């Protein structure tokens, strides 16, 4: 039997075993794309916790953890408002062991590992001179990656295409978190770029989260206008895993219109 036939049969079996489904409710923006998830959420969350603890400890030892109290509280408060709205996409998210950290670094970076492990770097706040709404757009986008389990989806896709069928069954359970599995959450959150479809989903979900939390979703557009101005060079979209700044701005403008009533509703209470 050829590998193509084997993989086709495996996919067929996965569909009926529940491995192909949507990890979130659709929300107002319709986040209901079907996903292939072979790695368990528990395994990814345990891996993320270990990786996050190591990163936070290193930042603490280097004197780079939560050094600016005002900025740190700002990041925590905005994150808390967004996390409270995660229930719009998945009920279990409020039970996650959420953690939020501010790391002193010149990097324009922020991320959220599986299970709600958030880090924001001072560089992105300072270099983009972010408003609260713009910071909410960035954190909301990262939270969206975790809600949609994009890291697990990428890991699953990689297993299916590169490892082989016998290994898939073994690795999907992560063998009780073997040494090779411990870094999987960090690898697929920090090292490997998300696909364009993942980035677009995170933009859409992030915009809805911020609108529900009372932040103007048009500020998500502002983030990418600022990012575009900051970029020294423009990589053609076809050569990048991320959408181009221009297409991202255009797309977010449409999404902002769609979720704007949620922003008005949140501020009418």
């Amino acid at each position: 039997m050829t590998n193509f036939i084997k993989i086709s049969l495996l996919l067929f079996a996965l569909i009926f075993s529940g491995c192909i489904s949507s990890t979130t409710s659709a929300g107002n923006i319709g986040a209901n794309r079907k996903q292939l998830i072979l790695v368990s959420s528990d395994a990814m969350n345990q891996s993320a916790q270990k990786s996050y603890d190591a990163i936070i400890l290193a930042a603490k030892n280097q004197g780079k953890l939560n050094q600016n109290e005002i900025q740190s509280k700002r990041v925590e408060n905005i994150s808390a408002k967004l996390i409270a709205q995660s229930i719009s996409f998945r009920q279990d998210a409020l039970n996650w062991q959420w953690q939020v950290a501010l790391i002193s670094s010149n990097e324009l970076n922020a991320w959220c590992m599986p299970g709600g492990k958030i880090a924001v770097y001072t560089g992105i706040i300072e270099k983009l001179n972010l408003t609260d709404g713009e910071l909410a757009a960035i954190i909301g986008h990262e939270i969206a990656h975790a809600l949609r389990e994009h890291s697990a989806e990428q890991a699953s896709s990689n297993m299916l295409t590169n490892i082989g069928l016998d290994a898939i069954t073994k690795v999907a359970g992560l063998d009780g978190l073997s040494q090779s599995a411990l870094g999987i959450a960090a690898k697929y959150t920090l090292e490997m770029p998300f696909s364009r479809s993942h980035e677009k989903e995170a933009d859409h979900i992030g915009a809805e989260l911020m609108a529900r939390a009372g932040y103007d979703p048009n500020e998500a557009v502002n983030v990418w206008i600022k990012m575009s101005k900051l970029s020294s060079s423009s990589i053609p979209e076809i050569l990048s895993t991320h959408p181009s700044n221009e297409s991202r701005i255009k797309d977010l403008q449409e999404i902002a219109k769609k979720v704007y009533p949620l922003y008005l509703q949140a501020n009418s209470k």
Side-chain angles (χ1 to χ4, degrees):
M1 187 181 295
T2 67
N3 283 339
F4 176 78
I5 295 175
K6 287 180 180 179
I7 291 175
S8 298
L9 289 173
L10 176 64
L11 284 172
F12 184 79
L14 290 173
I15 290 172
F16 288 95
S17 67
C19 291
I20 295 182
S21 60
S22 181
T23 55
T24 61
S25 300
N28 278 41
I29 46 83
N32 56 1
R33 175 182 60 84
K34 299 302 181 184
Q35 300 167 275
L36 170 65
I37 306 291
L38 299 175
V39 184
S40 74
S41 295
D42 286 345
M44 288 297 291
N45 292 348
Q46 289 179 53
S47 173
Q49 185 67 69
K50 290 178 181 294
S51 297
Y52 189 79
D53 288 346
I55 291 170
I56 295 306
L57 179 60
K60 183 177 181 180
N61 290 339
Q62 294 166 12
K64 296 181 177 180
L65 182 64
N66 299 327
Q67 287 300 294
N68 186 318
E69 185 175 353
I70 294 175
Q71 278 193 357
S72 181
K73 287 294 182 185
R74 183 182 177 212
V75 169
E76 288 174 5
N77 291 338
I78 291 172
S79 297
K81 291 179 181 179
L82 295 166
I83 290 166
Q85 301 305 320
S86 63
I87 195 172
S88 300
F89 290 95
R90 52 187 302 164
Q91 294 284 328
D92 66 324
L94 291 183
N95 296 323
W96 289 1
Q97 299 301 308
W98 292 89
Q99 291 176 260
V100 183
L102 176 72
I103 297 176
S104 297
S105 169
N106 288 328
E107 291 182 59
L108 273 75
N109 201 9
W111 42 264
C112 181
M113 285 187 184
K117 310 305 177 187
I118 301 170
V120 177
Y121 292 44
T122 55
I124 198 166
I125 298 174
E126 295 165 355
K127 290 183 180 180
L128 294 183
N129 191 25
L130 296 175
T131 65
D132 283 359
E134 291 164 355
L135 183 53
I138 290 172
I139 298 174
H141 173 97
E142 300 306 329
I143 287 174
H145 281 307
L147 294 177
R148 282 293 280 171
E149 298 191 44
H150 285 157
S151 294
E153 189 177 8
Q154 292 225 123
S156 300
S157 178
N158 191 60
M159 288 177 193
L160 188 62
T161 56
N162 294 315
I163 294 180
L165 302 184
D166 291 337
I168 290 172
T169 304
K170 182 179 180 181
V171 179
L174 295 185
D175 251 4
L177 278 182
S178 62
Q179 281 301 115
S180 62
L182 290 179
I184 193 171
K187 177 179 180 181
Y188 287 99
T189 303
L190 306 180
E191 297 176 18
M192 297 187 69
F194 289 115
S195 69
R196 288 187 206 171
S197 64
H198 289 168
E199 289 296 326
K200 192 170 185 176
E201 280 184 343
D203 279 348
H204 292 188
I205 293 173
E208 181 165 337
L209 287 174
M210 68 183 293
R212 289 182 179 277
Y215 297 102
D216 186 343
N218 288 295
E219 295 213 60
V221 178
N222 295 343
V223 169
W224 290 100
I225 292 174
K226 286 184 175 183
M227 196 74 79
S228 181
K229 291 178 179 178
L230 193 65
S231 299
S232 57
S233 61
S234 179
I235 300 174
E237 182 171 359
I238 196 170
L239 300 178
S240 172
T241 57
H242 283 45
S244 69
N245 291 340
E246 292 76 14
S247 65
R248 203 164 201 167
I249 289 168
K250 184 177 180 180
D251 181 56
L252 278 168
Q253 286 171 335
E254 293 303 313
I255 291 299
K257 292 176 186 176
K258 192 169 186 177
V259 300
Y260 194 78
L262 297 173
Y263 160 69
L264 295 178
Q265 183 180 347
N267 283 283
S268 67
K269 298 176 181 178

